[in-house]
């Protein structure tokens, strides 16, 4: 079960990394024409998109998503039990991965290769957003934020059940011939939509700031 959960987290991280990368690939060059021009003017530096380059760029986020999530799970396993990670600290994990593993590589590329500054800037911005968003998502899911909101919703539902039970007994004592059926027990699976909504809302708050 734990292995399945980690695989799901890795896939979720990969999907988020892929989604942000796709936005930068399809939308940003149209918003910043100088970026598309920089790619076209330096064929000796940048590979053509068709062929194996495109296939690798599609697969890379999912491969790295597994590595990214695995590192997060290692930190989660060794942390103190009374110190939650949460969405904010998950985002900090992504920021640290960017600062330690990604940013230095881009700076070395800029120093050693004739890569236009606007291209490096786009790469740095994309990686920063990808890692912070993926870290925040992992923090939201792994640190049981979803379970917390499910528990609260279950408590609210239980309150309604208790109210209905009291009304049911009152009608029985009053001698009513028709008594409504008892409400069914609370099923945590009923709150999947609320869980997902809370998780996404928490992620947006972490990305946009308080």
């Amino acid at each position: 079960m734990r292995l399945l959960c980690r695989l799901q987290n890795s896939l979720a991280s990969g999907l988020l990394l892929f989604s942000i990368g796709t936005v930068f690939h399809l939308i940003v060059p149209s918003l910043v024409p100088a970026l598309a021009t920089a790619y076209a003017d330096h064929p000796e530096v940048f590979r053509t998109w068709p062929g194996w380059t495109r296939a690798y760029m599609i697969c890379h986020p999912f491969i790295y998503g597994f590595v990214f999530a695995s590192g997060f799970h290692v930190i989660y396993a060794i942390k103190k039990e009374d110190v939650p990670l949460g969405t904010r600290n998950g985002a900090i994990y992504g920021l640290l991965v960017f600062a330690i593993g990604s940013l230095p590589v881009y700076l070395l590329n800029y120093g050693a290769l004739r890569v236009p500054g606007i291209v490096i800037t786009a790469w740095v911005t994309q990686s920063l957003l990808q890692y912070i968003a993926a870290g925040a998502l992992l923090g939201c899911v792994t640190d049981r934020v979803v379970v917390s909101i499910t528990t609260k919703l279950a408590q609210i539902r239980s309150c309604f059940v208790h109210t209905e039970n009291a009304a049911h007994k009152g009608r029985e004592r009053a001698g009513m011939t028709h008594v409504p059926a008892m409400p069914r027990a609370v099923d945590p699976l009923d709150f999947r939509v609320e869980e997902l909504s809370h998780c996404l809302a928490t992620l947006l708050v972490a990305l946009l700031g308080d």
Side-chain angles (χ1 to χ4, degrees), residues 143-164:
D143 215 26
R144 308 299 183 184
V145 174
V146 170
V147 173
S148 176
I149 191 62
T150 301
T151 301
K152 293 179 181 178
L153 289 170
Q155 291 173 350
I156 295 174
R157 183 72 174 276
S158 297
C159 180
F160 283 109
V161 170
H162 177 75
T163 302
E164 288 294 330

Side-chain angles (χ1 to χ4, degrees), residues 18 47 49 51-64:
F18 176 79
R47 299 181 186 274
W49 188 252
W52 71 269
T53 303
R54 175 184 297 173
Y56 175 76
M57 291 300 179
I58 293 174
C59 294
H60 176 81
F62 298 96
I63 297 172
Y64 187 73

Side-chain angles (χ1 to χ4, degrees), residues 29 34-44 46 116 118-120 122-123 126:
L35 182 61
T37 302
Y39 284 122
D41 290 347
H42 297 82
E44 73 282 0
F46 304 109
I118 191 171
V119 173
I120 290 293
W123 289 353
Q126 175 181 330

Side-chain angles (χ1 to χ4, degrees), residues 83-106:
V83 180
L85 287 177
T87 305
R88 184 177 299 276
N89 286 336
I92 293 175
Y93 165 75
L95 179 62
L96 290 176
V97 171
F98 166 79
I100 297 173
S102 181
L103 182 60
V105 175
Y106 289 131

Side-chain angles (χ1 to χ4, degrees), residues 129-191:
L129 292 177
Q130 284 177 313
Y131 296 159
I132 289 179
L137 177 64
L138 287 174
C140 177
V141 174
T142 307
D143 215 26
R144 308 299 183 184
V145 174
V146 170
V147 173
S148 176
I149 191 62
T150 301
T151 301
K152 293 179 181 178
L153 289 170
Q155 291 173 350
I156 295 174
R157 183 72 174 276
S158 297
C159 180
F160 283 109
V161 170
H162 177 75
T163 302
E164 288 294 330
N165 285 341
H168 176 83
K169 292 179 180 179
R171 285 189 292 267
E172 283 186 333
R173 286 194 295 268
M176 295 180 63
T177 57
H178 174 69
V179 180
M182 296 291 289
R184 63 184 178 85
V186 177
D187 185 356
L189 295 179
D190 289 342
F191 301 115

